């Protein structure tokens, strides 16, 4: 009997020790707290690197536009660098602390503009900062949990649906709805979807932006050269004409033989040949 009572007591203690752990594991955090803490250490760090892709669905004047753009974003204090690769073209936007630079491989051109900071075009960095501020949030709730692949591993995420008082970066665009996947282990935003609706030229327009992050690193060391713009070889300022010189074109006088019509520059018997060097400059 004593042995039975002892076994029952041990089993009861085991059950009681598991219940609090199970309850703690199933308790969902507050959605506003999740949003306010998301990416906190990463955004507060002196250096940050983001990689991923940006999907845009846009219907200006009723014409649908869809694009998927891979990006990389680097930040060191107030200096930033964003690279956008679309198929075989590269767009680099850089802020060196004083000026903004934009380089486009298509055309091999660059532009310089004075500014106080860089507005990221595809990384969604400003959206991450905007989305954490409770003053911008009208309401929020947790929709559930999903698994996303991050760093080659499945990661459990809380899915939060939130309404914002206006769209990030432009209060004139009206309200915005955000669906965000926040990792349960580190509180990192792994997927960030923003939907805005507004009237453009009396036509209801819908903008849908989704940022999928494949790499998030902070407190990493960057070389200073990463934030100093060096014009690539052969590039030119935007608006400056491009030149292309073509030289050493051979021309000849005299009738062409059948052989020459098929190719070649052999002088026919008795014919004369004169050579000119022609320089052609193309302005683009």
């Amino acid at each position: 009997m004593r042995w039975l009572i002892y076994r029952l007591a041990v089993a009861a203690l085991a059950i009681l020790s598991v219940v609090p752990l199970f309850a703690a594991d199933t308790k969902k955090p507050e959605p506003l707290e999740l949003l306010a803490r998301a990416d906190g250490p990463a955004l507060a760090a002196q250096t940050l690197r983001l990689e991923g892709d940006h999907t845009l669905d846009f219907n200006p004047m009723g014409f649908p536009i869809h694009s998927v753009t891979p990006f990389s974003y680097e930040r060191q204090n107030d200096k930033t660098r964003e690279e956008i690769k679309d198929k075989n073209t590269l767009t680099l936007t850089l802020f060196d602390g004083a000026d903004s630079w934009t380089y486009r491989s298509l055309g091999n051109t660059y532009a310089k503009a004075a500014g106080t900071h860089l507005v990221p075009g595809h990384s969604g960095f400003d959206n991450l900062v905007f989305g954490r501020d409770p003053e911008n949030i009208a309401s929020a709730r947790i929709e559930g949990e999903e698994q996303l692949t991050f760093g080659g591993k499945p990661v459990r995420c809380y899915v939060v649906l939130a309404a914002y008082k206006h769209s990030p970066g432009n209060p004139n665009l009206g309200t915005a709805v955000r669906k965000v996947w926040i990792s349960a282990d580190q509180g990192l935003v792994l997927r960030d979807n923003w939907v805005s609706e507004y009237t453009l030229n009396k036509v209801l327009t819908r903008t849908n932006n989704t940022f999928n992050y494949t790499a998030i690193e902070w407190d990493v060391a960057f070389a200073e050269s990463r934030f100093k713009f060096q014009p690539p070889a052969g590039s030119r300022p935007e608006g400056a004409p491009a030149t292309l010189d073509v030289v050493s074109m051979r021309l000849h006088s005299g009738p062409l033989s059948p052989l020459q019509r098929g190719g070649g520059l052999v002088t026919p018997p008795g014919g004369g040949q004169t050579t000119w060097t022609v320089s052609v400059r193309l302005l683009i």
Side-chain angles (χ1 to χ4, degrees):
M1 178 65 70
R2 291 180 181 178
W3 178 83
L4 179 60
I5 294 174
Y6 173 77
R7 293 294 300 270
L8 290 174
V10 170
L13 288 173
I15 293 173
L16 291 175
S17 64
V18 170
V19 168
L21 292 175
F22 180 78
D25 185 59
T26 57
K27 183 180 178 181
K28 293 182 179 180
E30 292 295 326
L32 290 177
E33 181 183 357
L34 270 176
L35 294 173
R37 295 174 57 183
D39 285 328
L43 298 180
Q46 291 186 341
T47 61
L48 171 67
R49 186 176 75 88
L50 303 173
E51 284 190 3
D53 59 71
H54 170 211
T55 300
L56 169 65
D57 289 291
F58 184 40
N59 65 332
M61 305 300 293
F63 297 98
I65 295 175
H66 174 81
S67 65
V68 180
T69 307
F71 66 81
S72 66
Y73 174 82
E74 297 172 3
R75 184 180 188 90
Q76 181 170 278
N77 297 321
D78 62 338
K79 300 177 182 179
T80 51
R81 175 190 182 98
E82 185 179 69
E83 293 187 15
I84 303 165
K85 298 179 180 178
D86 185 9
K87 297 181 180 178
N88 295 324
T89 64
L90 166 70
T91 301
L92 166 66
T93 309
L94 184 148
F95 179 68
D96 59 13
D99 299 303
S100 294
W101 299 85
T102 302
Y103 168 75
R104 296 178 175 86
S105 64
L106 183 64
N108 202 18
T109 61
Y110 62 89
K112 174 184 176 182
T116 57
H117 71 289
L118 169 67
V119 178
H122 288 274
S123 67
F125 174 84
D126 284 357
N127 290 27
L128 296 175
V129 175
F130 176 88
R132 302 178 71 241
D133 190 345
E135 292 296 321
N136 299 325
I137 304 171
S139 63
R141 62 182 173 87
I142 295 180
E143 279 206 325
E145 297 183 14
E146 291 184 20
Q147 277 195 348
L148 296 181
T149 301
F150 182 76
K153 300 178 181 178
V155 177
R156 183 168 66 98
C157 296
Y158 295 111
V159 183
V160 181
L161 187 67
Y164 285 77
K165 299 174 183 177
H166 63 83
S167 298
N170 193 342
N172 298 324
L173 289 184
T175 59
V177 176
R178 182 192 194 194
K179 189 174 183 179
V180 57
W181 287 252
I182 303 175
S183 67
D185 55 352
Q186 292 183 284
L188 298 176
V189 173
L190 303 187
R191 180 180 295 165
D192 203 8
N193 172 255
W194 293 82
V195 178
S196 302
E197 289 187 348
Y198 50 94
T199 302
L200 180 64
N201 293 331
K202 299 182 180 181
V203 177
L204 181 64
T205 302
R206 177 185 177 95
T207 302
N208 190 325
N209 289 280
T210 302
F211 305 91
N212 288 293
Y213 296 98
T214 56
I216 304 173
E217 297 178 316
W218 60 95
D219 290 330
V220 294
F222 293 126
E224 281 294 328
S225 59
R226 296 290 292 170
F227 304 97
K228 293 181 180 178
F229 181 74
Q230 295 292 337
S235 63
R236 69 185 193 281
E238 286 187 0
T243 61
L244 175 63
D245 290 333
V246 182
V247 296
S248 299
M249 296 176 61
R250 281 184 173 272
L251 304 176
H252 70 88
S253 61
L256 292 176
S257 67
L259 175 62
Q260 290 169 310
R261 292 193 185 98
L265 285 174
V266 180
T267 304
Q273 177 172 310
T274 305
T275 302
W276 293 270
T277 299
V278 181
S279 177
V280 181
R281 171 157 291 186
L282 302 178
L283 299 181
I284 303 174

